[in-house]
Amino acid sequence: MRAVLMGPPGAGKGTQAQVLAQGAQVPQVATGDILRRAREEGTPLGRTAQSYMDKGELVPDEVMIGIIEERLRQEDAKAGFLLDGFPRTVPQAEALDRLLQQLGMPLEAVLLLEVPEDAIVRRLSGRRTCPSCGRSYHIENDPPPVDGHCGTCGAELVTRTDDRPETVLSRLEVYRRSTEPLKTYYQAKGVLRAVDGVGKVEEVTARLRAALHD
Ligand code: AMP
């Protein structure tokens, strides 16, 4: 599988990407997770990224393109990959195309998870995230263990700082302005497959798998 999973913040990309990547035995490359790890480790990249992330803004294209280039040149990506959260702008998509052409491994599919905005705001405000393994819960739909620790790895769950209501609105605005144009970009290339992201996690996974095999 060589695919991109795109969609607005809170569409369920992280949850779905984890399941799909595991099933296909390819790495899930989640740029948000890479940045959060760098931020926790206090690296120069983490410090650069922090101010953008806290405001719900995009980290500059050249930084993100460098990260993805380094990651996709690693050995495990030769078997395929599932990108989650990249590309988010047309220049990022163009750089990705150039890189994959150089590496001789073009994209097979771009899956677009569609979820209406009112549902997104509800999802993000109830989200609890594991800072260690990246697993997400939702206080109503997928409640975390009562002790507030991750059921997978045991770390203490947190509310992401960028899941605060005011930041969610600016992330949605950024999505509309910078990321939505990618729909037209990938449609023109004939690789875009839109999937309804509303419903139970397993139902959405089944739709995504069907779209991948179309
Ligand atoms: P995510 O976990 O995918 O929602 O990403 C969290 C935050 O990381 C975003 O709101 C951006 O600030 C930053 N980020 C992640 N991926 C990208 C990207 N491809 N381009 C720019 N910023 C990104």
Side-chain angles (χ1 to χ4, degrees):
M1 177 202 293
R2 289 190 302 273
V4 167
L5 181 57
M6 64 172 281
K13 295 189 296 294
T15 306
Q16 295 295 340
Q18 205 166 8
V19 179
L20 293 176
Q22 254 168 25
Q25 297 189 308
V26 297
Q28 170 198 0
V29 177
T31 43
D33 288 348
I34 294 173
L35 295 174
R36 277 185 289 277
R37 217 168 303 131
R39 194 176 57 182
E40 269 143 39
E41 288 166 0
T43 64
L45 168 66
R47 286 196 294 276
T48 305
Q50 170 136 27
S51 56
Y52 296 99
M53 294 172 86
D54 286 348
K55 286 184 274 184
E57 289 172 6
L58 294 183
V59 174
D61 285 338
E62 60 276 16
V63 176
M64 298 312 302
I65 291 166
I67 291 176
I68 218 71
E69 186 157 350
E70 191 188 315
R71 182 64 188 87
L72 291 183
R73 285 185 187 280
Q74 285 171 21
E75 197 56 32
D76 63 346
K78 291 210 170 98
F81 51 80
L82 181 59
L83 298 183
D84 157 14
F86 186 96
R88 261 174 154 102
T89 64
V90 171
Q92 289 182 16
E94 289 168 345
L96 178 65
D97 278 344
R98 284 194 297 273
L99 172 68
L100 294 179
Q101 199 179 354
Q102 270 176 29
L103 297 173
M105 40 188 214
L107 273 184
E108 293 160 346
V110 175
L111 300 165
L112 170 66
L113 261 185
E114 296 187 304
V115 177
E117 287 203 4
D118 53 340
I120 286 172
V121 175
R122 274 201 307 277
R123 283 186 185 192
L124 291 180
S125 55
R127 178 156 78 172
R128 300 292 177 270
T129 308
C130 175
S132 177
C133 74
R135 181 166 169 192
S136 288
Y137 297 84
H138 188 278
I139 49 172
E140 285 160 26
N141 309 335
D142 181 14
V146 278
D147 67 354
H149 287 77
C150 178
T152 302
C153 75
E156 191 172 351
L157 300 172
V158 297
T159 300
R160 277 171 47 172
T161 47
D162 58 350
D163 281 346
R164 286 184 300 236
E166 62 282 15
T167 315
V168 166
L169 294 179
S170 56
R171 285 165 69 200
L172 278 171
E173 173 55 28
V174 166
Y175 179 78
R176 277 195 294 266
R177 193 178 55 236
S178 304
T179 311
E180 253 178 1
L182 288 180
K183 283 193 210 172
T184 319
Y185 179 87
Y186 283 125
Q187 219 151 23
K189 292 185 176 284
V191 287
L192 189 77
R193 305 189 194 156
V195 170
D196 178 6
V198 179
K200 293 208 181 82
V201 171
E202 312 82 69
E203 290 166 355
V204 178
T205 308
R207 284 179 212 141
L208 287 166
R209 287 212 167 106
L212 268 173
H213 296 125
D214 269 353

